[in-house]
Structure formats: C-alpha cells, structure tokens
C-alpha cells in the first residue's frame, strides 16, 4: 500500500490532481466554520435537534454552524434530479439535448447550474425565516436587508460548492459532487464515535456489557462494508462475438469480448437522491411547525422523517425507483444493441437487433433488482439496529453514510488505478 501511494506522487499529472482535490476539500472545511452575517450561532446550536443533526451529517457541520455552506450541495442534487426527469421525454428540448452527446450535456449542465441558483435562493429565504421562527432571536438584525444578505450569502456558498465539485471532476480525481458529500460525512465520523463512546461508558454500571455492545457494533459495520464492496464490485459478463469483415485488403473483427453489467450500476446516486427528496417535506415543515404539536406542518414533520414508518417506506421506494432510473439512463439497452449491430457484434445464441435489446434489458432488470434491494436493506437496517442497541438518535443514518463513503472511495480508487496503469505503474488495487 505504501508503495502504491508513493507511485501516485511519482506521476506529475496524478499528483497535481490529488493535491488539487485536497486543496478544494480544505477550502470546503474552512468555509464550514465561517458563519453567515447577522446570525447568533450560539442560539442556533441550542435549537439543533435530531432532524437537523441528520442534515448536518451531509454538510460536514456547516449547518450546525449556520455557515456559508449551510445548505450544502443538496440544491444542486435536487436541480440535477429535476433536469434528468425533464429530459426523459417530458421537455422535448431537453430530450433533444440529451441525445446530442457531449454538446447537449454541456447545455443541460448550464441550465442545471442556473436552476441550482434559483432553488438555492428560494431555499435560503425559507431556511432563514424558518430557523428564525424555530429559534427566536437567531437573527441579530431582522430587517429586509439582513434577510437578503443572508439569502445571497447562502446561495453564493452553494454556488461555490457546485463550482468546486465541477472543478474536482475536471481537474481533480473525479466525482466532484460525491467527493464533497463524502468529505462532509467523514468530517463528522469522530463526533459519532465520541457520542457512541459517551453513551456506552459515561454512566455504565456493566462494563462487560458495554464492551460487548461496542464489539457487536464494529462487527455490524464491518459486515456492511464487506457487503457494499461485494455488491459494488460484482458484475455479470455478457459474451459478445464480432463477425469477421474485410475492409480493403485488411480483415477486421472476429474477436470475442464481453459487456460488463454491474449489479449496482447506479452506485450511491440513488441513495443521495432519495435522501434529498424524502427529507425535503420535513425540512419545510420543520420551519412552520406549531409548538403545540398539532397541525399539518407537525404531521408532515413527524411522518416524513426517515426514521418514521411513512418516511422509511418512501425512502426505500425512492431508492428502488432511482436505482432503476439511473441504471437505465447510464446503460441504455436500445443504444447498446444498435451499436453492437452496427459493428457486426452479436451475443451467441441471440439474434442481433430487437432480440439483443430484450435480452440485455431482461438481464439488466434482474441485476438492478438485486442491487436495489441490497441498497434498500443496507440503508434501512441501521434504523432497526440503532433501536435494538439503544444508540443515540443521531447515529440512525450510519448505513447510508457507509454506503456513500465506500461507494465514493471505490470509484476514486478506480480513477487512480486507471491513471496509474496508463503510465505503466503497478495498480493501486491488487
């Protein structure tokens, strides 16, 4: 491992990419501690609850500090979800762009950026009003100008994170948005460890039982890590044979290859999308909840949290739906069958064209079902385990955080692996 890490810094381009990514993450962590103007941070920390702790996990503590990055990258994720849905035969112009290759993707990315700014501005205004209602005295200056300044600052923070994510994708090690989300999660791991330790050992009367519980928790975490790696790395190889053809005086084709279909082609994107959508109603309702505990806003807040039965059910269904949606966006069976037919390729025993499309679709559907069910189980299991182990409520989201961190780490290792192999170094993974 040390030799592999040394090889990374021997390659000039890869070294620059790694250092650039680390520099962007340092900027992200610094910004997480810079509060927005006209905010009483101490008052906001007293008002934090379990739901805000859940959202705070993905912002790396930025929400707890009400910093310039308090909204995190979620508005960009929401805008991306909406744009992808609109590109699926909903808005003809967007559908046309989606079929234009790289040029069309750049146009969609530009619209997504502007849409992100609009969503961020709306969300920042609602967040400021809502948090001030939740914690009276949060704003030291409640003038219109103060609200506008806070909203613009939060929107600028999200825009900066969006730009940083794109820069990490282009000039860094790739997967910029996912890397920023992972950095926020990793930044809060030590807090979760301290919370678990304090809850088990601070006022314990049975030391052996507490140690046994900690060991069981570690074993469950290790089992989740092994399961995620196994499912993320698992593939189904579909054999493809290319017919021989003569072009001029040369003969082409005749070789055998395969199409690697991953069990979970969508990675951790469905989990991130599901969290973003399922927590949105609770986020809005949180701001207008009645202190008496009655009313529509309170019902929405209580039932649309991931730990509630309704919220958990929606969470699982959204993971299932987004897994299929994102998989078939990335792996288009129609396009794959057409490309194979144009290049003289065929699956042994399957006729080219429509039959090949049906075969790939059926295989991909079955693989995706296994991957989606695994994501659902891993994401929901910690909720039950946390209650059985009587852990603090803010540890509820452990399974989801592990999914995101492991998925991003595996993708990043593959990016580094490909860069090192291209330059004839031994791979990062053995």
């Amino acid at each position: 491992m040390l030799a592999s890490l040394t090889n990374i810094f021997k390659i000039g381009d890869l070294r620059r990419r790694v250092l650039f990514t680390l520099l962007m993450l340092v900027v992200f962590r610094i910004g997480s501690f810079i509060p927005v103007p006209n905010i009483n941070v101490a008052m906001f920390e007293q008002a934090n609850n379990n739901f805000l702790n859940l959202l705070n996990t993905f912002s790396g503590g930025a929400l707890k500090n009400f910093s310039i990055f308090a909204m995190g990258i979620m508005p960009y994720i929401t805008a991306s979800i909406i744009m992808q849905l609109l590109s699926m035969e909903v808005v003809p112009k967007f559908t046309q762009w989606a079929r234009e290759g790289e040029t069309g993707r750049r146009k969609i990315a530009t619209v997504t950026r502007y849409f992100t700014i609009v969503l961020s501005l709306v969300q920042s205004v609602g967040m400021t009003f809502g948090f001030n209602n939740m914690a009276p005295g949060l704003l030291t200056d409640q003038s219109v100008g103060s609200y506008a300044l806070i909203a613009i600052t939060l929107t600028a923070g999200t825009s900066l994170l969006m730009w940083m994510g794109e820069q990490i994708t282009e000039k860094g090690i790739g997967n910029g948005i996912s890397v920023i989300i992972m950095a926020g999660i990793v930044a809060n791991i030590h807090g979760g460890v301290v919370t678990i330790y304090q809850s088990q050992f601070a006022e314990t009367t049975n030391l052996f039982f507490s140690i046994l519980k900690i060991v069981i928790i570690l074993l469950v975490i290790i089992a989740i890590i092994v399961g995620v790696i196994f499912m993320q790395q698992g593939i189904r190889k579909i054999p493809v044979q290319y017919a021989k053809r003569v072009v001029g005086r040369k003969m082409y084709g005749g070789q055998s290859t395969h199409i690697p279909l991953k069990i979970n082609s969508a990675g951790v994107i469905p989990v991130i999308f599901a969290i973003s959508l399922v927590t949105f109603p609770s986020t809005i309702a949180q701001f207008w909840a009645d202190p008496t505990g009655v009313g529509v806003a309170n019902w929405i807040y209580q039932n649309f949290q991931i730990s509630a039965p309704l919220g958990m059910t929606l969470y699982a269904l959204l993971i299932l739906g987004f897994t299929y949606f994102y998989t078939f966006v990335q792996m288009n069976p129609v396009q794959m069958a057409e490309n194979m037919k144009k290049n003289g390729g065929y699956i042994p025993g399957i006729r080219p064209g429509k039959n090949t499309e049906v075969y790939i679709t059926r295989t991909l559907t079955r693989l995706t079902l296994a991957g989606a069910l695994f994501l659902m189980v891993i994401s929901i299991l910690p909720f039950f385990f946390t209650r059985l182990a009587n852990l603090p409520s803010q540890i509820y989201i452990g399974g989801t955080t592990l999914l995101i961190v492991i998925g991003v780490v595996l993708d990043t290792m593959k990016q580094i692996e490909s860069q090192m192999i291209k330059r004839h170094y031994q791979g990062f993974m053995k």
Side-chain angles (χ1 to χ4, degrees):
M1 179 62 72
L2 290 177
S4 300
L5 292 174
T6 303
N7 287 337
I8 291 176
F9 290 94
K10 288 181 180 179
I11 306 171
D13 181 59
L14 186 56
R15 180 175 62 249
R16 285 191 295 270
R17 288 179 176 273
V18 172
L19 293 177
F20 180 83
T21 301
L22 293 177
L23 178 62
M24 290 293 100
L25 295 182
V26 169
V27 174
F28 167 61
R29 291 304 301 148
I30 293 175
S32 299
F33 295 95
I34 301 177
V36 299
N38 301 332
I39 289 291
N40 186 343
V41 179
M43 181 71 68
F44 183 66
E45 289 179 351
Q46 296 176 3
N48 275 344
N49 57 25
N50 295 332
F51 179 66
L52 293 181
N53 287 332
L54 183 150
L55 297 179
N56 189 62
T57 301
F58 296 96
S59 63
L63 179 61
K64 182 178 180 181
N65 299 324
F66 211 115
S67 75
I68 58 176
F69 295 151
M71 293 194 299
I73 202 68
M74 288 304 174
Y76 177 77
I77 295 175
T78 304
S80 299
I81 296 172
I82 295 174
M83 288 299 298
Q84 288 188 4
L85 291 175
L86 294 179
S87 299
M88 301 294 290
E89 306 294 341
V90 177
V91 178
K93 194 64 176 179
F94 293 162
T95 305
Q96 178 185 345
W97 288 350
R99 294 173 178 172
E100 290 179 355
E102 184 62 29
T103 303
R105 282 193 291 270
R106 284 199 296 266
K107 294 178 181 178
I108 293 177
T110 301
V111 176
T112 303
R113 295 188 194 104
Y114 286 119
F115 192 24
T116 299
I117 294 175
V118 174
L119 286 179
S120 300
L121 191 60
V122 174
Q123 184 175 336
S124 61
V125 173
M127 178 184 291
T128 306
F129 274 100
F131 283 155
N132 190 55
N133 291 337
M134 183 180 65
L138 174 65
L139 270 68
T140 57
D141 180 5
Q142 299 193 26
S143 64
V144 176
S146 176
Y147 277 102
L149 177 61
I150 294 173
I152 292 174
T153 303
L154 291 174
T155 302
T158 296
S159 301
L160 178 59
L161 284 181
M162 177 178 63
W163 177 82
M164 289 167 56
E166 293 178 349
Q167 293 301 306
I168 292 174
T169 301
E170 180 182 352
K171 301 179 182 179
I173 57 177
N175 303 316
I177 301 301
S178 299
V179 168
I180 289 178
I181 295 175
M182 184 197 71
I185 294 172
V186 172
N188 279 327
I189 288 180
H190 73 283
V193 172
V194 172
T195 301
I196 293 176
Y197 175 81
Q198 292 176 346
S199 66
Q200 300 304 314
F201 292 99
E203 299 178 357
T204 183
T205 57
N206 192 329
L207 184 61
F208 174 78
F209 181 74
S210 297
I211 295 176
L212 179 62
K213 186 185 291 188
I214 294 294
V215 171
I216 293 174
I217 292 172
L218 290 176
L219 291 176
V220 171
I221 292 175
I222 292 173
I224 293 176
I225 292 174
V226 172
V228 171
I229 294 175
F230 178 79
M231 296 298 290
Q232 292 288 87
Q233 300 292 85
I235 61 173
R236 165 76 183 277
K237 296 181 179 180
I238 298 180
V240 178
Q241 182 71 37
Y242 285 92
K244 294 181 179 180
R245 54 194 178 93
V246 179
V247 180
R249 295 183 179 181
K250 294 184 179 181
M251 180 176 292
Y252 296 91
Q255 75 270 22
S256 298
T257 183
H258 65 269
I259 301 175
L261 297 181
K262 298 182 66 174
I263 297 178
N264 180 25
S265 301
V268 298
I269 298 299
V271 178
I272 298 174
F273 280 7
I275 290 175
S276 179
L277 287 186
V278 98
T279 57
F280 182 75
S282 290
T283 305
I284 302 302
Q286 162 89 19
F287 301 148
W288 313 112
D290 192 334
T292 60
V294 297
V296 177
N298 289 83
W299 185 89
I300 294 175
Y301 170 70
Q302 294 170 4
N303 290 277
F304 279 82
Q305 294 191 42
I306 297 181
S307 57
L310 178 59
M312 188 180 299
T313 303
L314 291 175
Y315 182 46
L317 293 177
L318 285 172
I319 290 177
L320 178 65
F322 276 124
T323 302
Y324 272 100
F325 170 75
Y326 205 78
T327 297
F328 280 88
V329 167
Q330 287 187 314
M331 311 284 292
N332 190 336
V334 177
Q335 187 176 1
M336 293 171 65
E338 290 178 356
N339 292 338
M340 288 173 56
K341 188 175 181 179
K342 289 179 182 178
N343 294 294
Y346 63 92
I347 299 173
I350 307 295
R351 292 177 62 86
K354 185 65 176 179
N355 289 349
T356 299
E357 175 194 337
V358 172
Y359 177 79
I360 295 176
T361 301
R362 184 171 65 249
T363 304
L364 192 59
T365 300
R366 293 174 178 175
L367 289 174
T368 303
L369 178 61
L373 292 177
F374 178 78
L375 289 179
M376 290 168 57
V377 171
I378 292 298
S379 299
I380 293 175
L381 179 63
F383 291 90
F384 298 99
F385 180 75
T386 300
R387 293 176 182 176
L388 290 175
N390 194 26
L391 294 176
S393 56
Q394 57 264 44
I395 311 298
Y396 267 131
I397 203 163
T400 305
T401 55
L402 283 177
L403 275 172
I404 295 173
V405 171
I406 295 170
V408 174
V409 168
L410 289 176
D411 289 341
T412 302
M413 289 176 66
K414 288 180 180 178
Q415 295 274 357
I416 297 175
E417 174 88 357
S418 62
Q419 293 287 336
M420 296 178 70
I421 290 178
K422 271 198 269 187
R423 292 162 176 81
H424 308 291
Y425 280 91
Q426 185 180 14
F428 186 72
M429 296 181 289
K430 298 182 180 178

